Amino acid sequence: MPELPEVEITARRLDAALRGAQIASATAPGINALKTFDPPLAALEGRTIERVGRRGKQLVVEVSGGLVLLVHLMSAGRLQLYDKRAGPRDRTSRLLVRVSDPDRELRLREFGTKQAAWVKLLRAEELEDDEMLRTLGPEAWPQPPQDLRTLLKAPRPLHTLLRDQRIIAGIGRSWVDEILWTARLSPFKRGNDLTDEEAAALRAAIISTLDGALEHYEQVVKLPIPDKLPLPLQVHRKAGEPCPRCGATIEAVHYEDYVMCYCPAEQTGGKVLKDRRLSRLLK
Ligand SMILES: [Zn+2]
């Protein structure tokens, strides 16, 4: 699940390795991955990679001559750099960008059966008009908006609001659990029920949690970026384990395709929230 810290460390490592590299060729073996046709991928040949950056959970590869590759990893994609070319039978390959001197391959790979990761090749001036970037909320890191109370003023649970990229960009299922736990806030608290103090605690938690993840990645993540990043998690995926802060048992709410974890003692006033999976079975 690449979220802001995972995409940020990927962008930093690729930027350091690829800035100034010349593109020899580009192909998109994943038939669904390339979402644009003009300019064609062949337009990348002979150009230079100028910068690899991040917007929300997307990677932005800036290329000389005013071209930009916008890459969304979705839930199972990775953008990795290899010294060797992908074999023709590598079914995980979605986009291959070969660079020369030294020969390397920037590869968008995707694991699992779904083909959801995508790439757009845009002209630099079209980037801001791209549907995804146009609707993106303010960045969650390094400086989330000062007035978080106004930003989140909606009758929706914090757990949903914070993952809504149109409201705030970069947070997903893993880091939202960590952030709410750090702020000692219930995932089901409504955004429009936040007090000033709670909003301030939430803002501080967003900064410290994402900062902490990135500091960790700076220490441990080297090229080639591993398929599975070592996420420094305290509560997410830790159901049944003791809370590292107070020792209470971490509880979970199961949704169709993910699990939300929280500490009942510190976040929900001791209340154990209903398991959605069970309540559906009992309906
Ligand atoms: Zn606790």
Side-chain angles (χ1 to χ4, degrees), residues 93-112:
S93 294
R94 301 285 180 266
L95 175 80
L96 307 171
V97 179
R98 283 171 190 150
V99 300
S100 49
D101 248 355
D103 281 344
R104 284 162 299 164
E105 187 171 76
L106 179 64
R107 201 180 304 161
L108 171 62
R109 304 175 73 210
E110 190 172 26
F111 302 94

Side-chain angles (χ1 to χ4, degrees), residues 139-158:
E139 290 283 336
W141 180 92
Q143 286 296 325
Q146 285 293 339
D147 189 0
L148 219 50
R149 213 180 144 194
T150 302
L151 187 79
L152 301 175
K153 213 171 181 58
R156 296 164 65 199
L158 290 176

Side-chain angles (χ1 to χ4, degrees), residues 22-65:
Q22 202 182 46
I23 298 174
S25 68
T27 49
I31 219 136
N32 300 315
L34 186 66
K35 297 290 183 203
T36 52
F37 57 90
D38 176 33
L41 268 188
L44 289 171
E45 284 169 26
R47 297 189 195 234
T48 304
I49 295 177
E50 293 182 332
R51 185 175 168 268
V52 183
R54 175 194 64 80
R55 290 286 293 278
K57 295 188 218 172
Q58 279 111 170
L59 286 148
V60 180
V61 183
E62 294 171 25
V63 177
S64 65

